[in-house]
Amino acid sequence: MQRFSTGNQTFSRRSMLRGALMGAGALALPPLLSACGGSGSSGGSSSGSKVVTYGSNAAVPQPKGAYETLFAQAQKATGYTVDVNWVDHNTFQQNITTYLQGNPQDAFDWFAGERMQFFAAQGLCDQIDDVWAKIGGNYTDAMKAQSKGTDGHYYFVPFDYYPWAVYYSKSLWAAKGYSEPTTWDEYIALAKKMKGDGLIPIAFTDKDGWPAMGTFDYLNMRMNGYDFHIDLMRNGTNWNTPQVSAVFEQWKQLIPYYSPGFLGLTWQEGAAQLLNKQAGMMVLGLDQIGTIFTGAKADDLGFFAFPEINPSYGQDSVEAPIDGMMLSKSPKNRAGAVALLEYLGTAPAQQLWLAADPADIATANGVDTSKYTQPQTDSVTLIQKASHISQFMDRDTRPDFADPVMLPAIQQFLNSPGSVSSILSGIDKQAKLIWASNG
Amino acid sequence: MTVWEAAPRRRRARRRHLSRGDRVVLTLMAGVPLLLTLSFVWVPALLSIVLSFSSWPGIGGVSSIKWVGLQNYHTIFTIYPQFYPALEHNLIWLAVFFALPAPAGLFLAVQLDKQIRFSRIYQSVLFLPVVLSLALIGFMTELIFSPTQGLLNNLTGHAGQNDMIDWLGNPHLNIWAVLLMACWRQTGYVMIMYLAGLKSVDPSLKEAAALDGAGQWQTFRHVVWPALRPINVVVLVITVIESLRAFDIVYVINQGTNGLELLSVLVTDNIVGEASRIGFGSALATILLLISMAFIVPYLISTFRKDGQE
């Protein structure tokens, strides 16, 4: 009893100190914060707590409601109550480094790929081989590979994912008599025809900066292959090469068919052009476009794989970002968090969540696909046919490279397509510096 | 200028009669703010300068800091493509803030000071934007200037596909659209400063000038303007500060990319993010600090020197 009260006192003093530091906006103090968090958690690791804390990036109503239903069910299935800290999606991403070094929740939402491996390699999350001993049977080898850190341990439970493809309105295409192109020449010919029909051939928007990354990823994978793409993303060498330069040269052919003023438009405005039948097609993720084509319109959403450019690679790669969950470095209730992740790694859990979100598909095997909408069913087929799955530029490469360097570089290219060589040498020099440094 | 002469004499006289209690109070009143300023302004600023010579991902303890000398500055000046546009935009911002809202604010203040009818209403209307945060003004900028859905293009018939004016996506246009909105807010801010200054100008001075036969302009030029000198310093300082700290409005629009780069955005991009380049961001912050010093310090020095001579 006495020990408990002493522990309690230290804790409250620590949390007051922490509060004071946070109040001062002391951004540059993560090591100090982590020291507090670490000792606090080891002191208060009272076993048998029935609460698991969870950091969620889904503060907006639509996914939040779905998660609340899910966590209510998780409580029935595991016996652990989930205490959620809801944070806005972008804020969560922006603050992840500080968050993980501070006093994070036991489990939290995150993404697969380099984005997961980067933080795992920094020792900011806990490996979960024990979770995978239970849920391993629910996942394909491709999913398993996407859940491991570079050290071979598991760090991530895949929950849902979605493909990137070329989307269109089926009813518009039926009215105009268009058919799905599979090669580059057919794609360009179709775009030309759409322009003649008074449509915006390709809805394209890049005010947000990231949507254009998907087009780069596809062009690069189609022209140079998956292995080249991943090597480029992971190692940062090769940016100033003829192969990458060719990607941008190819890209130039698309720009005349893009939405006018695309650098001033958000992806929502582009998707609306598709929905309103002003535009013919759009390269985007189901996770985005699926929130625009909802209700009765859902089944009007058709798509095809990004067209083939180099026959030796065909359409063998699909961009399919995986969202999921991880454990923080030293969770206060590890047993509970493990039980929660084990539950989230099952088909019934994912099915329950997907009932409220038709813009994603489940990662675990055994989900009742008869409940999927047409775009969801087609997405499963598209991904299963692929021999390689990439994540997305900002998930396949270092976080301190994707947004600070590539995002403005691609915008600069779209602004002045003539200056490819100087843009590429700029990217190359920055990439070499970033990979050589530790921050 | 009797006020200026009287003040120091009074202060000197009072110092001799300080009791112990007075001394404690004064020490606390000077010491506490000093301590706060030191710990929350100067120490972090100095630490930023120190960190600008390092490479540090912000992960792990202080031991993971690697010292790299001037490498960050070298990178910024040679191969960081966003730096020069950001610098240019900050300087444009500064120039525009001096050229438009400062004189416009003064002009409006002088007009409102003339006791015209409905003066209070005009005052509130002009001051209203100052109440809004710059982030909110960023959203308003989008509503007005959005190429397809914005008010401006739809009113002028430039929202169609062929004759669209891309106010937010064209990097040569968007900075001006944003500056227009920022000036709208800044004008009200400057106006209130000057209005407060004008209220403190002794009306008898103006009456005397009028009796001497001075016209409106002459009264302003020779009587009101000199009396406004302390306010001018305040306006100068807030103009420099407001234009260098500009951030929210461009961040709301497109995170400060594609023609809206600002030094403050680059600092944020590099320090606050999934993976931080704290050393690199600190170097950018140090450059921003030097620029603000370059504008403010010389003026303050000359101002204090004049004050000292009087």
Side-chain angles (χ1 to χ4, degrees):
Chain A
M1 199 60 212
Q2 208 193 341
R3 264 192 66 201
F4 176 74
S5 69
T6 337
N8 215 23
Q9 263 175 10
T10 15
F11 181 76
S12 68
R13 192 153 19 94
R14 276 194 189 116
S15 58
M16 229 172 84
L17 175 65
R18 196 182 304 133
L21 288 171
M22 306 274 263
L27 272 174
L29 289 167
L32 196 51
L33 295 181
S34 84
C36 293
S39 50
S41 72
S42 61
S45 65
S46 54
S47 58
S49 165
K50 280 291 162 195
V51 177
V52 178
T53 55
Y54 191 90
S56 170
N57 62 7
V60 285
Q62 197 269 334
K64 185 179 171 182
Y67 276 113
E68 277 169 340
T69 318
L70 177 70
F71 291 143
Q73 190 60 39
Q75 203 261 330
K76 281 183 206 149
T78 64
Y80 289 100
T81 311
V82 185
D83 177 17
V84 189
N85 176 26
W86 302 101
V87 183
D88 162 69
H89 200 268
N90 288 330
T91 312
F92 192 85
Q93 248 159 273
Q94 287 281 302
N95 297 330
I96 188 74
T97 317
T98 325
Y99 171 75
L100 290 180
Q101 295 188 80
N103 196 13
Q105 275 77 31
D106 299 342
F108 61 96
D109 285 328
W110 200 237
F111 315 102
E114 169 75 18
R115 238 180 183 165
M116 168 267 293
Q117 296 186 342
F118 180 85
F119 294 102
Q122 307 278 0
L124 294 177
C125 12
D126 202 357
Q127 56 106 336
I128 47 168
D129 291 350
D130 46 349
V131 174
W132 275 87
K134 278 267 184 63
I135 65 171
N138 303 343
Y139 287 98
T140 60
D141 287 343
M143 281 294 167
K144 285 179 185 162
Q146 293 285 354
S147 309
K148 287 179 193 169
T150 40
D151 59 359
H153 288 292
Y154 287 102
Y155 286 94
F156 180 80
V157 172
F159 188 70
D160 63 289
Y161 69 145
Y162 58 93
W164 275 63
V166 190
Y167 288 88
Y168 61 88
S169 157
K170 282 182 184 168
S171 55
L172 174 73
W173 278 39
K176 300 273 184 186
Y178 302 140
S179 56
E180 293 183 353
T182 52
T183 65
W184 183 260
D185 292 341
E186 288 170 13
Y187 186 49
I188 295 289
L190 177 63
K192 202 169 273 174
K193 197 169 165 210
M194 286 174 167
K195 198 161 197 175
D197 291 344
L199 292 168
I200 298 166
I202 303 172
F204 182 85
T205 60
D206 203 34
K207 191 170 120 181
D208 314 293
W210 55 266
M213 290 174 173
T215 301
F216 174 87
D217 293 344
Y218 267 129
L219 285 169
N220 194 30
M221 288 192 292
R222 295 290 184 260
M223 294 171 71
N224 301 317
Y226 175 81
D227 293 332
F228 180 90
H229 177 70
I230 289 301
D231 182 62
L232 184 70
M233 293 292 126
R234 292 285 156 94
N235 302 319
T237 49
N238 287 338
W239 274 100
N240 204 6
T241 55
Q243 287 100 316
V244 180
S245 177
V247 168
F248 284 97
E249 293 301 325
Q250 191 89 1
W251 201 341
K252 281 185 197 169
Q253 297 181 36
L254 293 178
I255 296 178
Y257 302 108
Y258 280 167
S259 308
F262 56 79
L263 280 168
L265 300 174
T266 61
W267 70 261
Q268 286 93 340
E269 287 170 285
Q273 289 176 343
L274 208 62
L275 185 76
N276 300 333
K277 302 185 177 162
Q278 294 169 288
M281 32 191 183
M282 183 170 193
V283 179
L284 203 65
L286 179 68
D287 188 56
Q288 290 87 36
I289 192 96
T291 62
I292 304 290
F293 280 74
T294 50
K297 301 252 184 178
D299 284 349
D300 190 36
L301 184 65
F303 64 85
F304 57 91
F306 195 86
E308 166 190 313
I309 300 173
N310 180 345
S312 49
Y313 303 115
Q315 295 171 304
D316 66 351
S317 309
V318 167
E319 184 122 295
I322 304 168
D323 294 351
M325 292 82 184
M326 298 175 77
L327 279 198
S328 58
K329 188 173 47 188
S330 41
K332 291 184 183 60
N333 181 359
R334 195 172 191 286
V338 163
L340 176 67
L341 290 199
E342 283 170 0
Y343 172 70
L344 296 174
T346 62
Q350 298 180 7
Q351 182 106 51
L352 182 73
W353 185 81
L354 283 172
D357 184 3
D360 290 286
I361 54 177
T363 52
N365 302 324
V367 168
D368 180 3
T369 50
S370 67
K371 288 182 179 148
Y372 274 168
T373 62
Q374 195 58 43
Q376 282 178 305
T377 314
D378 296 344
S379 298
V380 175
T381 320
L382 177 77
I383 292 172
Q384 279 174 349
K385 271 197 306 194
S387 37
H388 308 289
I389 293 180
S390 61
Q391 289 300 295
F392 193 72
M393 184 185 284
D394 66 8
R395 301 184 183 195
D396 279 327
T397 193
R398 285 177 63 129
D400 49 4
F401 175 70
D403 277 6
V405 179
M406 283 311 294
L407 189 151
I410 290 178
Q411 282 183 332
Q412 200 194 341
F413 158 74
L414 292 165
N415 244 321
S416 48
S419 45
V420 172
S421 63
S422 75
I423 293 172
L424 282 183
S425 80
I427 296 175
D428 190 58
K429 283 179 196 156
Q430 293 188 78
K432 286 191 172 128
L433 256 175
I434 289 173
W435 262 271
S437 75
N438 63 342
Chain B
M1 292 282 103
T2 45
V3 184
W4 288 103
E5 283 157 17
R9 201 176 302 147
R10 205 183 304 141
R11 229 181 282 145
R12 230 174 279 130
R14 200 174 280 171
R15 202 178 294 153
R16 284 187 215 114
H17 305 289
L18 277 184
S19 72
R20 171 173 282 192
D22 285 347
R23 243 175 255 155
V24 170
V25 168
L26 279 179
T27 314
L28 279 178
M29 283 172 73
V32 171
L34 181 73
L35 202 69
L36 289 175
T37 316
L38 276 179
S39 49
F40 295 120
V41 178
W42 286 105
V43 169
L46 287 175
L47 283 179
S48 291
I49 296 173
V50 171
L51 281 174
S52 74
F53 302 106
S54 76
S55 160
W56 186 34
I59 296 172
V62 181
S63 57
S64 65
I65 297 179
K66 215 168 68 184
W67 299 104
V68 295
L70 289 171
Q71 190 202 303
N72 289 327
Y73 292 95
H74 184 253
T75 309
I76 289 169
F77 288 113
T78 53
I79 61 171
Y80 191 49
Q82 289 102 294
F83 176 67
Y84 288 104
L87 189 66
E88 187 192 328
H89 295 149
N90 264 120
L91 294 178
I92 290 179
W93 209 286
L94 200 61
V96 169
F97 263 24
F98 272 115
L100 295 179
L106 176 61
F107 176 79
L108 291 172
V110 171
Q111 303 312 311
L112 289 176
D113 194 42
K114 286 179 185 159
Q115 310 295 329
I116 45 176
R117 282 174 76 190
F118 309 124
S119 168
R120 285 271 157 80
I121 295 176
Y122 297 139
Q123 238 175 73
S124 351
V125 169
L126 292 166
F127 188 68
L128 198 66
V130 187
V131 181
L132 308 175
S133 80
L134 263 183
L136 195 59
I137 291 182
F139 289 116
M140 293 170 67
T141 313
E142 294 201 292
L143 291 177
I144 296 173
F145 290 99
S146 161
T148 53
Q149 297 164 345
L151 179 76
L152 189 68
N153 273 1
N154 280 297
L155 278 184
T156 58
H158 285 94
Q161 285 170 30
N162 300 319
D163 52 356
M164 173 194 285
I165 301 179
D166 189 8
W167 291 107
L168 296 181
N170 183 337
H172 301 293
L173 284 180
N174 53 15
I175 186 80
W176 302 109
V178 166
L179 269 174
L180 192 71
M181 297 298 285
C183 284
W184 171 60
R185 176 179 187 266
Q186 183 73 5
T187 303
Y189 197 0
V190 173
M191 180 198 78
I192 280 295
M193 294 287 162
Y194 276 123
L195 208 52
L198 288 169
K199 298 272 181 235
S200 68
V201 174
D202 193 343
S204 59
L205 286 176
K206 281 193 259 181
E207 276 166 35
L211 285 178
D212 286 347
Q216 288 239 8
W217 170 248
Q218 280 174 314
T219 312
F220 177 77
R221 174 72 190 79
H222 297 288
V223 177
V224 178
W225 179 247
L228 283 178
R229 209 171 59 84
I231 302 293
N232 283 332
V233 178
V234 175
V235 170
L236 174 108
V237 171
I238 61 166
T239 300
V240 173
I241 290 172
E242 289 287 314
S243 45
L244 289 178
R245 75 167 195 177
F247 171 79
D248 337 29
I249 182 166
V250 297
Y251 208 77
V252 163
I253 290 170
N254 66 2
Q255 288 83 50
T257 59
N258 183 38
L260 295 182
E261 294 88 355
L262 290 173
L263 289 174
S264 56
V265 172
L266 300 189
V267 174
T268 313
D269 273 355
N270 283 288
I271 290 187
V272 184
E274 273 183 59
S276 338
R277 302 165 74 188
I278 289 184
F280 192 71
S282 299
L284 286 160
T286 306
I287 293 172
L288 187 59
L289 181 73
L290 288 177
I291 294 173
S292 50
M293 293 292 196
F295 280 94
I296 291 177
V297 168
Y299 198 87
L300 288 185
I301 287 176
S302 76
T303 312
F304 286 137
R305 201 170 282 155
K306 272 183 215 153
D307 281 352
Q309 282 162 3
E310 269 169 37

